[in-house]
C-alpha cells in the first residue's frame, strides 16, 4: 500500500471509523461516500459535523444496555455463566500507510476457564477460546443493533463490514453482531474474520 497524503484516511484528524466503511465499500448507506469525504475534510478543517443523529439512532443508544444484558443472559442460559460483557473503554487503532482505521465496539466479550460453546441464531455451533496463543484473555468484539425489520431478514452487509473492521483493528479472529428485532426478539450471529472483506475495507479506505 503506497503512501498518498491525498487519500481519504489522511483527511481524518483521528481515524476512519468502522461505522463508515460499509458505505465506502458498498457505495451506499445512511450517507453517501462523497458525504463521508466531505465530513472528513470538514473535520480536518475544524468545522463541526452536525445533523447525523435521528430518532432510530437515539433509540439504539438508549436500548444498548438492555440488549447487552439480554445477550449476557443468553450466554449464561447456554451454560457459560462465568463471562464478562463490558463497554470498550478505548478505541482500537490500526495504522495504515497514509492514515488510520479505528474501531470502538459496543461491548467486548471475555470469559474464564473452559471454551465458550454455544449456538447462534443461524444454528451455527460456536466454540471460542478464552486465551489466545500469547496467553492473553481474548476480548471478542460485540456490535449491538436495534432492528425494526423482520426476524427472517439477513444481517445488513453494512454491519458485517463494520464488524470486520473491528476485528481487523483488534487483531481478533471472530466476533458477534447482536440485534433486538422489533423490540423483543434477541438474535445473535457469530462471524469469523474474512480476509477478502477486510482487504476491501483497506482498498475503500484509501481510494
Amino acid at each position: 500500500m503506497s503512501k498518498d497524503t491525498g487519500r481519504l484516511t489522511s483527511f481524518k484528524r483521528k481515524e476512519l471509523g468502522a461505522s463508515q466503511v460499509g458505505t465506502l465499500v458498498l457505495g451506499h448507506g445512511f450517507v453517501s461516500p462523497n458525504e463521508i469525504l466531505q465530513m472528513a475534510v470538514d473535520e480536518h478543517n475544524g468545522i463541526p459535523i452536525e445533523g447525523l443523529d435521528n430518532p432510530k439512532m437515539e433509540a439504539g443508544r438508549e436500548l444498548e444496555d438492555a440488549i447487552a444484558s439480554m445477550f449476557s443472559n443468553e450466554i449464561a442460559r447456554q451454560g457459560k455463566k462465568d463471562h464478562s460483557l463490558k463497554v470498550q473503554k478505548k478505541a482500537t487503532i490500526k495504522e495504515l500507510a497514509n492514515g488510520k482505521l479505528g474501531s470502538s465496539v459496543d461491548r467486548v466479550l471475555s470469559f474464564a476457564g473452559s471454551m465458550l460453546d454455544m449456538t447462534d441464531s443461524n444454528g451455527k455451533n460456536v466454540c471460542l477460546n478464552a486465551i489466545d496463543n500469547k496467553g492473553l484473555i481474548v476480548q471478542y468484539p460485540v456490535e449491538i443493533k436495534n432492528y425494526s425489520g423482520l426476524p427472517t431478514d439477513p444481517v445488513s452487509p453494512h454491519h458485517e463490514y463494520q464488524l470486520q473492521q473491528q476485528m481487523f483493528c483488534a487483531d481478533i479472529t471472530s466476533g458477534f453482531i447482536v440485534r433486538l428485532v422489533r423490540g423483543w426478539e434477541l438474535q445473535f450471529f457469530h462471524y469469523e474474520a474474512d480476509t477478502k472483506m477486510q482487504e476491501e475495507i483497506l482498498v475503500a479506505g484509501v481510494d
Side-chain angles (χ1 to χ4, degrees), residues 36-148:
I36 291 176
L37 175 59
Q38 185 60 55
M39 286 186 289
V41 174
D42 288 346
E43 182 182 19
H44 177 75
N45 292 327
I47 300 173
I49 300 172
E50 300 177 352
L52 292 180
D53 227 347
N54 60 48
K56 185 175 182 180
M57 292 172 65
E58 183 178 353
R61 286 194 299 271
E62 293 296 325
L63 289 169
E64 185 179 302
D65 287 346
I67 299 171
S69 179
M70 293 173 70
F71 182 44
S72 180
N73 291 341
E74 177 61 20
I75 295 171
R77 189 190 70 80
Q78 293 204 33
K80 194 63 177 176
K81 292 180 170 57
D82 188 9
H83 71 274
S84 171
L85 197 60
K86 294 183 178 180
V87 176
Q88 187 181 38
K89 294 182 179 180
K90 187 178 180 181
T92 306
I93 306 299
K94 179 73 76 171
E95 296 279 351
L96 302 180
N98 67 330
K100 302 175 183 178
L101 290 180
S103 165
S104 180
V105 300
D106 294 326
R107 296 291 189 279
V108 288
L109 170 65
S110 60
F111 48 92
S114 61
M115 295 179 66
L116 174 68
D117 188 350
M118 60 192 301
T119 303
D120 76 0
S121 297
N122 279 331
K124 175 185 177 182
N125 182 242
V126 180
C127 294
L128 300 176
N129 290 315
I131 306 296
D132 66 15
N133 55 14
K134 298 178 181 179
L136 302 175
I137 296 175
V138 183
Q139 295 188 323
Y140 296 94
V142 177
E143 185 61 31
I144 295 173
K145 302 297 180 184
N146 177 42
Y147 187 63
S148 58

